[in-house]
Amino acid sequence: MTTADTTSAATRLDQRMADLAAHRVPFVRATVVRAKRPTSASPGDVALVMEDGHFEGFVGGSCAEATVRRYSLDALGSGEPLLLRISPDQIGDGDIEEGAVTVGNPCLSGGEIEIFLEPRRPAPRLIILGDTPIGRGLRMLGQDLGYDIDGVTAAADADVKGAAAVVVASHGREEEPVLADALHAGVPYVGLVASRKRAAAVLASLDVTPEQRASVHSPAGLDIGAHTAPEVALSILAEVVASVRSWEPGSASSESAEARADGITLTKREDRFRAAFAVDPVCGMTVAAVDTSPHSDVGGERHWFCCTGCQETFEAAQG
């Protein structure tokens, strides 16, 4: 491949990453940072790994790709970058240390490669209903915290699907439909800015289950003695952060359906990024159990493989 071809490929991947980010599509950028011959990959080779395990780009042959797929989905689940070292001399998963893992790959042709896996997950989306002092404070502080802010003034504009948090700060305007939609959609954090007395009346009017009604944070925000609108916004965002972090993979509270921390009820959100893994029955490699990995259905059971070579060997042995 010429220098011009390499530059063109890199430009296409950059454009693709920008497009994925704009559409809030999670992916992993896998970059070869070291290659010891013989290997088909070279330093600087890049691939994008989607949450279904689909590859765009190149970081090695099919067996290396299987290992990269497995650990890319792992990184996408944890949200943490990882240095992946692949060597034919390593037995099994070998050494695991903070930020790096060394993996044995019996399929490699004798070379070694190191690949940096960088997960790119969309920022948590925070929907704020109400152009009020508290609503404006939430939008300003939320942006500084890196949230994807969607400020709306009408219930019809509040698309709650996939949101990490919904805060209703409209002071009586169109509160009920947004609250009900958020609760039915299973939004991890739903907050209502209102006095306890008014909040009780609003929540009682909702056509939701008692459990859903009890999960609404109202008055929204931690009790920090806030008086001004920006202080109230700060207290609400602190509560939002606690809730969002509680359902992230690896957090202490994500292991249970419900937990408490500092008096705050934390509800687990289904981890959309968690992938299942399986062992290749031919070579013994651990692979991602996703449709993009080679697989065969035999005797009512699905078997997963690192490459089509192992798949064909397994199928031939079945007669």
Side-chain angles (χ1 to χ4, degrees):
M1 182 178 291
T2 66
T3 301
D5 290 337
T6 301
T7 302
S8 177
T11 299
R12 286 196 299 272
L13 282 177
D14 287 342
Q15 293 172 343
R16 177 63 170 148
M17 286 189 290
D19 182 63
L20 291 171
H23 289 85
R24 297 182 54 80
V25 177
F27 64 94
V28 172
R29 177 188 171 113
T31 306
V32 177
V33 295
R34 174 179 173 267
K36 179 181 177 181
R37 297 185 181 185
T39 177
S40 56
S42 301
D45 285 343
V46 176
L48 308 183
V49 186
M50 306 297 123
E51 61 179 320
D52 64 354
H54 175 70
F55 262 73
E56 296 183 20
F58 179 82
V59 288
S62 60
C63 289
E65 185 176 289
T67 302
V68 173
R69 176 183 290 111
R70 171 197 171 182
Y71 283 96
S72 290
L73 297 182
D74 219 17
L76 198 57
S78 70
E80 298 294 331
L82 179 71
L83 178 62
L84 174 62
R85 304 185 182 105
I86 306 177
S87 170
D89 299 326
Q90 183 69 49
I91 299 176
D93 285 351
D95 298 329
I96 300 176
E97 54 189 289
E98 185 174 358
V101 62
T102 303
V103 182
N105 190 326
C107 301
L108 285 180
S109 58
E112 298 178 354
I113 54 176
E114 295 184 7
I115 303 171
F116 183 65
L117 307 178
E118 183 183 4
R120 305 281 184 91
R121 301 193 338 188
R125 192 160 66 93
L126 170 57
I127 297 176
I128 303 162
L129 174 69
D131 186 18
T132 60
I134 293 175
R136 290 191 290 271
L138 286 167
R139 291 197 293 272
M140 180 182 67
L141 294 175
Q143 288 175 342
D144 289 340
L145 290 175
Y147 284 81
D148 182 359
I149 304 298
D150 188 2
V152 298
T153 58
D157 297 327
D159 181 7
V160 302
K161 184 178 180 181
V166 171
V167 180
V168 175
S170 58
H171 297 313
R173 298 177 179 86
E174 298 190 280
E175 295 171 324
E176 291 84 353
V178 174
L179 289 169
D181 287 348
L183 292 172
H184 289 145
V187 174
Y189 177 93
V190 181
L192 170 62
V193 177
S195 67
R196 294 185 186 278
K197 181 177 180 179
R198 194 174 73 79
V202 172
L203 297 178
S205 70
L206 301 180
D207 183 17
V208 297
T209 66
E211 292 77 16
Q212 289 172 326
R213 187 176 291 110
S215 71
V216 177
H217 297 260
S218 189
L222 300 180
D223 185 4
I224 61 173
H227 289 290
T228 67
E231 288 174 346
V232 173
L234 175 63
S235 74
I236 295 172
L237 283 170
E239 198 171 50
V240 169
V241 169
S243 176
V244 169
R245 293 301 187 194
S246 76
W247 53 256
E248 286 188 338
S251 66
S253 58
S254 69
E255 300 304 319
S256 60
E258 188 175 89
R260 284 191 172 272
D262 300 328
I264 308 166
T265 300
L266 304 176
T267 304
K268 178 183 176 183
R269 180 185 182 186
E270 180 182 358
D271 177 21
R272 62 176 287 197
F273 301 114
R274 192 181 300 278
F277 301 101
V279 176
D280 185 322
V282 177
C283 69
M285 280 181 57
T286 300
V287 299
V290 293
D291 288 345
T292 47
S293 295
H295 54 274
S296 295
D297 294 317
V298 177
E301 182 180 358
R302 177 158 291 186
H303 302 270
W304 306 89
F305 307 94
C306 71
C307 61
T308 55
C310 283
Q311 180 185 15
E312 292 168 357
T313 298
F314 177 82
E315 291 175 348
Q318 306 308 306

